[in-house]
Amino acid sequence: MPKELHKDICEQEIFSGIYTKYSKDLHNFLYYKYGEELNPNDKAQDAFVKLWENCKKVKMSMAKAFLYKVANNMMLNEIKHQKVVLRHQKLKPKDYTHETPEFLMEKEQYFKKYQQVLSRLSEEQRVAFMLNKVEGKKHEEIAEMLGITRKVVEYRIYTAFSILKNELVGFKI
């Protein structure tokens, strides 16, 4: 094993040389591997700070490996942190609303009235209407499912819609 000429990375000139030699490549490695969102430039700089803090412990021959390992671990820690933040944001309950209590009450009353009007429709009208408007089925699909013609399906949906429109103020789909 060859003898190292410079054993002390802590000398400013040697450290500066290491920085000049590896900083751009380290940044590019992090950028290509993890993208711009996790600030590869910051992580590369932080890796050099760690190298400076541990300069007495790191041999000159191991400086590059140390930098890449530390920077990669920092990026992985940042990814873990971002996952925790996202999970926390998803779990955070929404304990507020921008809707007034009056609006919420009107909405509930409107929904009850809507259900009442739906229940008063004939079964044929209700089934055709719900298959079309709720499930998004096309008239041909509904006709095939119910064993009737497309025109009958259209008529049932139209009459159901007319009844809902007459019974409910402002009803639109």
Side-chain angles (χ1 to χ4, degrees), residues 1-154:
M1 187 163 123
K3 240 183 181 182
E4 291 192 35
L5 298 174
H6 306 287
K7 293 184 178 182
D8 195 6
I9 297 176
C10 295
E11 292 178 30
Q12 187 174 356
E13 290 176 17
I14 295 172
F15 186 83
S16 180
I18 291 172
Y19 180 83
T20 304
K21 186 173 182 180
Y22 298 124
S23 64
K24 184 173 169 110
D25 290 339
L26 181 60
H27 170 269
N28 291 343
F29 167 75
L30 296 174
Y31 178 78
Y32 297 146
K33 188 168 182 180
Y34 298 105
E36 185 63 36
E37 286 123 26
L38 299 176
N39 300 321
N41 194 40
D42 291 349
K43 300 301 186 272
Q45 294 296 322
D46 291 344
F48 279 100
V49 169
K50 288 280 189 189
L51 178 62
W52 182 255
E53 291 170 352
N54 294 295
C55 64
K56 297 276 188 203
K57 301 174 190 171
V58 179
K59 295 180 183 176
M60 181 71 169
S61 61
M62 298 302 293
K64 181 178 179 183
F66 178 87
L67 286 169
Y68 278 74
K69 185 72 169 175
V70 166
N72 193 50
N73 286 343
M74 286 180 180
M75 291 298 255
L76 292 173
N77 288 340
E78 182 67 23
I79 290 170
K80 286 180 187 176
H81 174 69
Q82 293 298 328
K83 286 181 181 178
V84 169
V85 168
L86 287 174
R87 205 172 321 128
H88 179 69
Q89 287 174 345
K90 286 180 185 176
L91 295 177
K92 186 178 178 184
K94 184 179 177 184
D95 58 351
Y96 62 90
T97 180
H98 297 292
E99 298 168 341
T100 64
E102 294 82 16
F103 175 79
L104 293 173
M105 191 171 79
E106 288 173 9
K107 183 176 163 183
E108 186 178 321
Q109 290 171 349
Y110 189 85
F111 185 67
K112 285 180 183 176
K113 181 139 172 113
Y114 172 73
Q115 288 179 322
Q116 290 171 351
V117 174
L118 273 179
S119 69
R120 288 196 301 261
L121 294 174
S122 70
E123 183 179 344
E124 293 86 12
Q125 290 171 329
R126 187 174 48 256
V127 168
F129 180 79
M130 298 300 277
L131 284 172
N132 180 252
K133 300 301 179 188
V134 175
E135 293 188 21
K137 304 264 187 219
K138 296 185 189 296
H139 294 181
E140 295 83 20
E141 292 176 294
I142 298 169
E144 191 176 303
M145 288 172 65
L146 300 177
I148 55 178
T149 66
R150 193 176 125 248
K151 286 289 184 189
V152 172
V153 170
E154 289 173 0

